[in-house]
Amino acid sequence: MAQGDGEVALTAMEGSLRPTFRLTVVKKGQRGAPRAAFEYPFAENPDFWIPIGLSDPDGSENGGNATSLDIAMRTAVRHALAFLTDDLGMAGPVAYAYLSAASDFQCSQVVDRTTGIHALIRKADFDRSRRR
């Protein structure tokens, strides 16, 4: 199975899976999830915080934006800035410079009406014990 970043043709090498998930409900205000995760799409894995920007989260039929990677990128940057300032306590200008100098933005999707860009913010940059 495989799919590159930025699915472009409704096609990937797909396969059947039977995953097992463990879900934990984290209510707004509780510890365990960034505040940003309650306001907009946000992911996390062991190495990265992943703010997500979508061009058309509500669909064009519900008054959403036009399909645009520009809109998705601007939204991803706004979400990443909000996470860095609100959750990690970074000053706004420092957060903006950090995003430009040290984080990566990748295309999540271009195949449907909703396009997506996600930021990869390295946790190791903020935790001395993770630095290599």
Side-chain angles (χ1 to χ4, degrees), residues 123-132:
K123 291 179 179 181
D125 292 349
F126 299 90
D127 180 359
R128 291 187 188 274
S129 66
R130 293 170 157 259
R131 292 186 187 161
R132 297 176 194 181

Side-chain angles (χ1 to χ4, degrees), residues 7-81:
E7 178 186 5
V8 297
L10 290 174
T11 302
M13 292 183 284
E14 299 176 358
S16 177
L17 296 174
R18 290 182 178 254
T20 300
F21 293 96
R22 185 178 127 226
L23 302 176
T24 302
V25 175
V26 180
K27 294 182 181 180
K28 192 172 185 174
Q30 287 181 314
R31 295 193 64 183
R35 286 179 281 181
F38 297 103
E39 305 298 326
Y40 53 82
F42 190 94
E44 181 177 357
N45 67 31
D47 298 319
F48 296 98
W49 289 297
I50 309 168
I52 299 167
L54 301 173
S55 68
D56 198 5
D58 299 318
S60 58
E61 62 279 354
N62 293 317
N65 299 312
T67 297
S68 167
L69 283 173
D70 292 337
I71 292 170
M73 181 65 178
R74 284 194 296 273
T75 303
V77 169
R78 278 196 312 275
H79 291 171
L81 282 170

Side-chain angles (χ1 to χ4, degrees), residues 94-105:
V94 174
Y96 202 47
Y98 170 83
L99 290 175
S100 189
S103 64
D104 294 315
F105 288 82

